[in-house]
């Protein structure tokens, strides 16, 4: 069972995180889709609108957003990254406040692209349509 990660395809921070995840995914756990893709739009049409400014992670039949989604990702990463899962001891409302601050300001801080990233032919199988 793959972990599906939906991300903002025009966000430079989000694209950088996707590149980092690909680099640290030797067990091939992750599949990706931009929120703006057909797949992303099908998924987001089924959830609350307030979660649209968030990463969305689908694993084991459950959907996670915001800091809970990020924690699901680090749990599957290679190396020392998985130890960040210990941050789950921080209460969710506090984690999500920090997540929301970064999400609101990510375009101002990191910039944005005019269009979604196009995966290379070698990485195409990691991206969902």
């Amino acid at each position: 069972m793959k972990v599906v990660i939906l991300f903002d395809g025009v966000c430079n921070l989000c694209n950088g995180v996707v590149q980092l995840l690909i680099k640290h995914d030797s067990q091939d756990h992750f599949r990706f889709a931009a929120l703006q893709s057909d797949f992303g739009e099908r998924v987001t049409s089924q959830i609350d609108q307030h979660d649209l400014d968030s990463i969305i992670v689908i694993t084991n039949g459950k959907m996670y957003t915001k800091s809970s989604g990020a924690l699901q990702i680090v749990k599957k990463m290679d190396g020392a990254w998985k130890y960040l899962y210990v941050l789950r001891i921080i209460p969710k409302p506090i984690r999500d406040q920090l997540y929301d601050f970064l999400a609101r300001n990510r375009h101002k801080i990191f910039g944005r692209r005019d269009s979604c990233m196009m995966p290379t032919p070698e990485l195409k199988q990691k991206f969902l349509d």
Side-chain angles (χ1 to χ4, degrees), residues 16 20 22 49 56 61 64 69 72 76 80 88 92 111 114-116 122 129:
L20 177 82
I22 290 169
Q49 295 298 320
I56 298 172
Y64 300 88
Q72 291 300 310
K76 292 286 191 179
R88 73 186 183 284
K92 185 177 179 341
D114 292 330
S115 61
C116 292
E122 301 82 36
D129 295 327

Side-chain angles (χ1 to χ4, degrees), residues 70-90:
L71 288 171
Q72 291 300 310
I73 292 169
V74 297
K75 186 164 70 168
K76 292 286 191 179
M77 288 180 73
D78 295 340
W81 291 100
K82 68 180 115 209
Y83 296 113
L84 290 174
Y85 190 67
V86 73
L87 295 174
R88 73 186 183 284
I89 65 171
I90 299 171

Side-chain angles (χ1 to χ4, degrees), residues 4-103:
V4 176
I5 301 170
L6 299 169
F7 65 100
D8 180 354
V10 297
C11 169
N12 285 335
L13 172 63
C14 303
N15 279 283
V17 168
V18 167
Q19 295 300 319
L20 177 82
L21 293 174
I22 290 169
K23 182 177 178 182
H24 293 280
D25 185 24
S26 65
Q27 300 297 311
D28 196 33
H29 291 296
F30 303 124
R31 292 297 177 263
F32 305 94
L35 289 166
Q36 298 86 348
S37 70
D38 290 340
F39 181 87
E41 288 180 2
R42 284 193 306 272
V43 171
T44 57
S45 70
Q46 302 171 27
I47 64 171
D48 290 337
Q49 295 298 320
H50 76 278
D51 285 331
L52 292 181
D53 201 21
S54 170
I55 193 167
I56 298 172
V57 178
I58 304 167
T59 183
N60 296 324
K62 294 183 181 178
M63 187 179 301
Y64 300 88
T65 60
K66 300 185 182 193
S67 65
S68 296
L71 288 171
Q72 291 300 310
I73 292 169
V74 297
K75 186 164 70 168
K76 292 286 191 179
M77 288 180 73
D78 295 340
W81 291 100
K82 68 180 115 209
Y83 296 113
L84 290 174
Y85 190 67
V86 73
L87 295 174
R88 73 186 183 284
I89 65 171
I90 299 171
K92 185 177 179 341
I94 295 170
R95 291 190 331 250
D96 281 350
Q97 279 185 334
L98 293 170
Y99 185 97
D100 287 340
F101 174 80
L102 184 58

